[in-house]
Amino acid sequence: MSFQVFGLPVSRGVAIGRAVLVASSRVDVAHYFISDAQVASEIDRLRVARDVVATELGTLQRDMPAEAPPELSALLDVHLMLLHDETLTGATKHWIRERHYNAEWALSAQLEVLARQFDEMEDEYLRERKADLEQVVERLLSAMARGALPAGLAVPAVRDFGGEDPLVLVANDISPADMLQFKRSVFTGFITDVGGKTSHTAIVARSLDIPAVVGAREASRLIRQDDWLVIDGDAGIVVVNPSPIVLEEYRFRQRQIELERARLSRLRHTRAVTLDGECVELLANIEQPADALAALEAGAVGVGLFRSEFMFMNRAGELPGEDEQFEAYRAAVEAMKGLPVTIQTVDVGADKPLDRMSINELRHEHALNPAMGLRAIRWSLSEPTMFRQQLRAILRASAYGKVRLLVPMLAHPSEIKQTLEALARAKQQLAEAHRPFTDVEVGAMIEVPAAALILPVFLRHFDFVSIGTNDLIQYTLAIDRADEAVAYLYDPWHPAVLQLIAGTIEQARALGRSVSVCGEMAGDTEFTELLLAMGLRSFSMHPSQIAMVKQRILRADTRRLAGRLGAAMGSDDPAVTCAEAFGGAVQPALVALR
Ligand code: PEP
Ligand code: MG
């Protein structure tokens, strides 16, 4: 049956593929692809776990006290029967062989398939057997967790996928760290039930440059393993099992998007200069050193935001040391071949926890309000040893290229003072150890309204500022950016948000300080003219967005745009007024695709 699911569009384009369901109840089991060579050992892990559980159940039955109710023994019989049933273990092997899922993932995928079959049973007694099945799977998972992973399996390998069909990942929720892991895989699109447009899971999905829909609420319940899916990443629609006509329509759109991309890629070497001769700096946001390649390929003139926190995640409590960090920063700096790299000190917390917690777990189980908690610079200042290690690692990388240091989420003058003291101390330690480093520029993220409101204080202490619009919107409007329930109120067009951004740009420019925007607004072409009109000349975004933004810049006349800024800002509905005021500034005929 064909039907549609609606969510929030987070990454543009059309994806068509078969559903790979990451079961909601099992998000905490590891999900990774194995190579051909690992299939046999993975099936072996499953077999060993099954034998262990069979022994456990047998022992339970044998040692059952005489007074135990007879139903208990019957229940264990049911569990043993389920354990040996081919529909569980046989089909799990199928996911391992055909899809190259690791054993835990394969098992939870098969549980999801069977659980749905139980849900549809007429007979109440049989329907209730679903709980037994879940318990058996729990036992198997726990047996696997107790057993050591065979060598080489712990690190997810780049997948040697044998299947023919493209795959779309469907999950209730995915942590940003897991999403980053999927970066090296073959998924052609992503769908999650929860999350907002600028949740970090969505941001990582966008950086993969493949269509994604988040906040699709019931998607992982309604979609079944292997269903054919179309993701319309522009509209936020998922079409499940589309009819041939709908499928053909979307395939046509896919081809058009490909053509458009190929056309835009020709702008790569074109300098971003407006019609009236204003040069604009287009920088890249990256999550790991390897992303520098995509940044260069997209024609970025530097990295405006290297989110170092991804290196800190999923490490079972052990954080990266100074040398490991230094190697990563140096790799990014060297890869950028002399172009500037802005490394942001770690921004963990909120929806970027150190372990692989998902939004749901954070929201319901761990912290009341993680976005307001010990996050970003607050966490760094509470871990002074770690912070100084990171500062030293960043400083050391400056001996290999142009490094700029960026500090997230500062709000209090006292935090500025402590940060700069920690930096001075880190420099002193390096100097004493005769480690080379250069005098890096130091900048502050402006992403808390308090920072924007006391900007002169920041400008006294920092060489540059970068506006983190994702958080600035969240904190100005009191809307959790990761919460799909209030996503409709997360509004970059809110006049209060625009005022803070415009004020920051104006004040920084007046003092001759460089100011950039590195939140998602920078890569969204809806805002390009508005930001230019505000005086912004430095934008940092996902590499995949650079060409589209550049195209808008090439068509813009900043004098004309600036003249219309007042009307746009003063309105009750800036989105509409901006479209009217800036629409006339677009002159496609003048754009030369050189
Ligand atoms: C922002 O808040 O706009 C930003 C760029 O940082 P992050 O999205 O990592 O919080
Ligand atoms: Mg931020």
Side-chain angles (χ1 to χ4, degrees):
M1 187 187 60
S2 178
F3 61 95
Q4 295 184 359
V5 181
F6 299 89
L8 303 165
V10 292
S11 188
R12 311 186 57 167
V14 170
I16 300 172
R18 280 195 185 274
V20 171
L21 227 72
V22 175
S24 52
S25 52
R26 310 272 172 249
V27 271
D28 54 342
V29 308
H31 298 87
Y32 54 86
F33 288 116
I34 56 170
S35 69
D36 268 340
Q38 292 168 318
V39 167
S41 57
E42 207 59 1
I43 289 181
D44 216 41
R45 287 180 62 224
L46 183 69
R47 189 187 51 72
V48 170
R50 196 188 55 188
D51 292 350
V52 167
V53 173
T55 312
E56 273 172 18
L57 292 173
T59 310
L60 276 173
Q61 225 169 16
R62 203 189 53 228
D63 299 345
M64 185 119 32
E67 65 280 14
E71 293 83 7
L72 209 55
S73 180
L75 198 68
L76 291 176
D77 279 338
V78 171
H79 282 200
L80 273 165
M81 200 184 69
L82 288 168
L83 180 70
H84 291 293
D85 195 321
E86 269 302 288
T87 55
L88 180 62
T89 43
T92 299
K93 285 183 209 157
H94 163 84
W95 296 117
I96 298 175
R97 275 198 208 99
E98 302 303 317
R99 286 290 177 79
H100 290 87
Y101 295 174
N102 65 309
E104 288 88 345
W105 185 359
L107 196 56
S108 49
Q110 186 54 20
L111 170 63
E112 191 79 6
V113 171
L114 296 176
R116 282 167 194 242
Q117 290 173 6
F118 276 103
D119 283 343
E120 282 164 12
M121 283 176 183
E122 298 272 317
D123 184 303
E124 197 184 332
Y125 171 79
L126 287 178
R127 221 171 34 237
E128 282 169 4
R129 299 288 62 80
K130 183 175 109 173
D132 296 314
L133 179 72
E134 284 171 344
Q135 284 167 19
V136 171
V137 170
E138 289 292 355
R139 279 187 185 278
L140 282 166
L141 288 171
S142 120
M144 276 190 260
R146 289 190 309 257
L149 286 176
L153 273 183
V155 179
V158 174
R159 190 179 180 209
D160 169 22
F161 178 64
E164 297 290 312
D165 299 327
L167 303 176
V168 169
L169 187 86
V170 185
N172 173 260
D173 192 4
I174 308 173
S175 71
D178 271 341
M179 185 59 102
L180 195 66
Q181 188 163 301
F182 286 129
K183 205 161 187 162
R184 286 171 284 167
S185 73
V186 292
F187 293 113
T188 184
F190 293 90
I191 303 162
T192 62
D193 296 345
V194 303
K197 255 183 149 173
T198 61
S199 63
H200 283 93
T201 299
I203 288 178
V204 180
R206 204 170 294 132
S207 79
L208 306 183
D209 194 21
I210 53 178
V213 169
V214 301
R217 288 162 186 264
E218 298 281 274
S220 76
R221 202 180 57 75
L222 298 171
I223 296 168
R224 292 165 186 239
Q225 203 72 247
D226 262 358
D227 274 348
W228 271 103
L229 302 176
V230 171
I231 300 183
D232 183 336
D234 296 286
I237 296 174
V238 180
V239 188
V240 185
N241 295 321
S243 68
I245 294 175
V246 171
L247 199 59
E248 193 35 53
E249 177 61 27
Y250 274 110
R251 288 204 195 284
F252 175 71
R253 274 204 30 214
Q254 243 182 348
R255 287 193 292 274
Q256 280 185 317
I257 293 167
E258 283 306 312
L259 286 175
E260 174 67 6
R261 274 188 192 198
R263 197 179 67 79
L264 281 175
S265 72
R266 285 154 53 200
L267 288 177
R268 185 183 151 206
H269 298 297
T270 305
R271 287 179 60 227
V273 182
T274 63
L275 292 174
D276 56 322
E278 287 284 312
C279 294
V280 180
E281 183 182 51
L282 295 182
L283 303 162
N285 290 356
I286 65 171
E287 275 100 36
Q288 44 194 7
D291 297 339
L293 191 66
L296 285 180
E297 274 174 7
V301 296
V303 169
L305 174 65
F306 177 176
R307 287 184 169 97
S308 66
E309 50 273 18
F310 284 91
M311 208 188 315
F312 285 66
M313 296 176 182
N314 284 357
R315 303 183 57 111
E318 187 205 311
L319 300 180
E322 179 178 330
D323 286 341
E324 183 183 339
Q325 288 188 58
F326 160 63
E327 291 302 340
Y329 304 145
R330 185 175 75 163
V333 168
E334 287 183 339
M336 288 306 289
K337 302 183 168 80
L339 295 171
V341 178
T342 312
I343 305 172
Q344 183 189 235
T345 60
V346 63
D347 178 9
V348 291
D351 69 334
K352 283 184 285 192
L354 281 177
D355 51 21
R356 58 170 71 231
M357 261 187 288
S358 62
I359 295 171
N360 266 347
E361 288 167 316
L362 279 167
R363 197 180 289 157
H364 299 303
E365 287 168 33
H366 292 272
L368 277 178
N369 209 335
M372 304 270 189
L374 197 65
R375 194 198 145 177
I377 189 63
R378 301 172 182 180
W379 185 72
S380 295
L381 292 174
S382 72
E383 298 276 345
T385 309
M386 181 292 301
F387 190 38
R388 273 202 304 276
Q389 274 174 5
Q390 178 166 43
L391 292 172
R392 286 196 301 267
I394 295 173
L395 287 167
R396 283 169 61 191
S398 71
Y400 296 83
K402 189 166 179 351
V403 169
R404 305 190 330 152
L405 184 106
L406 181 60
V407 187
M409 224 192 150
L410 288 163
H412 295 261
S414 62
E415 290 170 329
I416 299 179
K417 186 165 173 280
Q418 284 180 64
T419 301
L420 296 180
E421 279 169 6
L423 183 62
R425 179 92 186 96
K427 284 182 181 174
Q428 188 194 356
Q429 288 171 333
L430 288 180
E432 282 165 11
H434 304 291
R435 294 264 197 196
F437 65 95
T438 61
D439 215 11
V440 301
E441 282 184 11
V442 184
M445 280 284 250
I446 304 299
E447 52 184 351
V448 180
L453 292 169
I454 58 159
L455 198 73
V457 177
F458 280 76
L459 295 175
R460 270 203 296 280
H461 294 286
F462 291 99
D463 302 307
F464 67 97
V465 289
S466 190
I467 308 175
T469 51
N470 307 335
D471 278 318
L472 191 61
I473 298 166
Q474 150 164 279
Y475 295 126
T476 304
L477 303 180
I479 302 300
D480 185 337
R481 61 194 263 194
D483 188 349
E484 69 288 350
V486 285
Y488 68 102
L489 290 171
Y490 184 93
D491 182 11
W493 288 107
H494 192 293
V497 172
L498 299 185
Q499 264 179 43
L500 291 174
I501 297 173
T504 303
I505 296 171
E506 191 186 336
Q507 293 175 68
R509 278 176 62 110
L511 285 184
R513 292 293 150 73
S514 94
V515 51
S516 132
V517 170
C518 63
E520 297 299 294
M521 276 173 87
D524 186 339
T525 48
E526 259 194 83
F527 299 98
T528 310
E529 284 83 16
L530 176 66
L531 293 171
L532 286 172
M534 289 177 178
L536 190 74
R537 297 294 179 265
S538 175
F539 296 61
S540 193
M541 64 198 80
H542 302 293
S544 62
Q545 297 167 322
I546 288 180
M548 271 189 302
V549 171
K550 193 186 278 185
Q551 177 170 252
R552 299 289 277 246
I553 288 168
L554 295 173
R555 294 170 175 176
D557 179 333
T558 59
R559 282 169 308 194
R560 219 169 126 180
L561 293 174
R564 297 175 180 188
L565 182 64
M569 294 283 291
S571 121
D572 282 356
D573 193 348
V576 173
T577 328
C578 279
E580 286 163 9
F582 299 143
V586 179
Q587 300 167 48
L590 293 176
V591 176
L593 282 174
R594 286 159 269 190

